[in-house]
Amino acid sequence: MDPELTFDAYWSAIDEELAAIPGRPVLDVVPARTTDEAAFYSLRITSTGPYRVYGNLSIPRGDGPFPGLLITPRYGSVNNVPHPNDRSRYVVLSLMHRGQRLADEGFAAAYPGLLTMGIDDPSTYVYRGIAADCLRAAEFLMGLSEVDPARVAVTGDDLAVLTAARRPGFSSVRVTDLLFYRAMEARLKSCLYPLEELNDHLRRGSSAEGLSTTLSYYDPARHAPAVTGRTLLSIDDEDWCRSLLAALPDPEVYPVTHLDGTDNDFLDAWLAERSAVPAMSKFIA
Amino acid sequence: MRDPENATVDVELPEDFDDFWAAGLADCASYPLDPVLTELPNLSTDTVIVNDLHFTSYGGLRIAGWYAVPRDRPGPLPGLVTIPGYISEPTVPKEWAELGYATLAIAPRGKLRSNDVFDPGYPGLLTHNIVDPNTYGYRGFYLDVVRAVEVLLDRPDVDNQRIGLQGSSQGGGLGISTAALMPDVIRCVAAGAPYLCGIMTAPTLTRSYPYEEINEYLRIHPKDVDRVRETVAYYDGLNFAPKVQAPTLLYLGLEDDVCPPETGFALHRALTCEKTLHTYPHCAHHAGPSGRDADRGGLPCRAPHPGTVNRWTPN
């Protein structure tokens, strides 16, 4: 079987599943987070499975359309509510994928555990559904009339790359973290989680080859060629990320300083410039 | 221009502060600790044994944790309780065990594996029942950490004269409160970007979560401001600080938008114990360059994924 054909078939099947399931989004105003700057909503929408997932959506007050920003979920049970700075400038959607809090009816993700749930077979791997959740969120955001289709960004880890690769229309991609990239090599470098979950799983007797096969479907370097937007990688080892950079059509590197005040401000300003909105620092000087 | 080092952060000390917490400790003492350890071969390694741990805490709730010890190092070992950040789940503390600590990574109530009965959510915990100190969501949460230390005291493989606390953000704040509640037990504290200090001042200095939750609450319930202030005074790290006796390491990011540095400096002033303060310009809530964890009472930096920033999430 042609590995590349398998890769394409794998992801096409997910797209087809999503296309067959109406999203049926429901928005509820959240009064406590609705201000003069932005209206805040909780979003519930159906993804593959079918499974109902949750999102925090905020739309600036005033005349739109506005730049859109999708925040893909981090690895953890909770994602932060979008920051008021982002809410005042973007139509911002922060997704809780299946199993995360607020999207945990019927399935609550375990930590550690989520990274390797169903990993022995690509078709049962939990991230298949999580990726679908991200794609559904992207579809929803891009479908909003308040969003300027010429200014839509996605930010996050490998899931941001994957989402941008499979849903055209993201003009900016901001990659602030990596989880799946070279994961089978990275897991050997420390005992820290979440990558230690891979080592734990292998200690149970699973084959490294099987894990590698599944993880290869989520390797951002394999998805990268399909990304059409300018892509910023916030990294501190360019050599390590060489293959990902080479695969991206329009990459840019930000060498992190590990001074997160400085790094945060740069990342904000980069996206703001590309979205034609003011840069803002979370730290109020 | 802000001057965080010299900013005033006022917190009223409730007259019955000590009685309030004595009652909480008494409640805990009324339940047998009943620790249950279950070895987890699937999470253990050649060098570290990992156990699932459950014990009984305030209100009779069963609380979960991970207990990790070095496999072949003779005890008794120094004991360490690691305390999770606000939105973070406790991670399996293999790295600490590899350094020789008997380490308990607690999941206080509301965290996964400890949320069957109490599950206020995130956001949610900070403002859960915030108008009444007796039912405020953090009451049991604080005492769960105290109970975790008591588990270590009960362990034959732990040297009771060498028990410390480590955490950042919420972990840093609860390190302070726990050291204050157990001054005869805790031997050292490492607290980064401590949260829950100057609780009513912090929301005026930032719009970042979790403190933004208080702003949101008061936007909807403006008449509750006095009751909120009264409640959180019982939980403010600045009121606990004078009771801490253990040597304490504080580390602050001077551009911290989550836990404003003003509150960290105020904590440093309030501590009367032996104390060390590290401050990091241009750093935010990581409270220091992520390549220098050793400066923060933590680990030599080994980023979980090379090539990107350290994924350590203090909050």
Side-chain angles (χ1 to χ4, degrees), chain A residues 9 28 96:
Chain A
D28 290 302
M96 312 298 145

Side-chain angles (χ1 to χ4, degrees), chain A residues 158 177-184 186-187 189-190 192 195 236 240-241, chain B residues 302-311:
Chain A
D158 319 59
D177 206 355
L178 291 169
L179 180 61
F180 289 98
Y181 179 68
R182 300 177 68 175
M184 290 298 282
R187 70 179 176 88
K189 295 185 180 296
S190 82
L192 295 177
L195 288 178
D236 70 350
W240 174 262
C241 297
Chain B
R302 289 181 296 161
H305 199 302
T308 68
V309 298
N310 192 322
R311 190 175 287 104

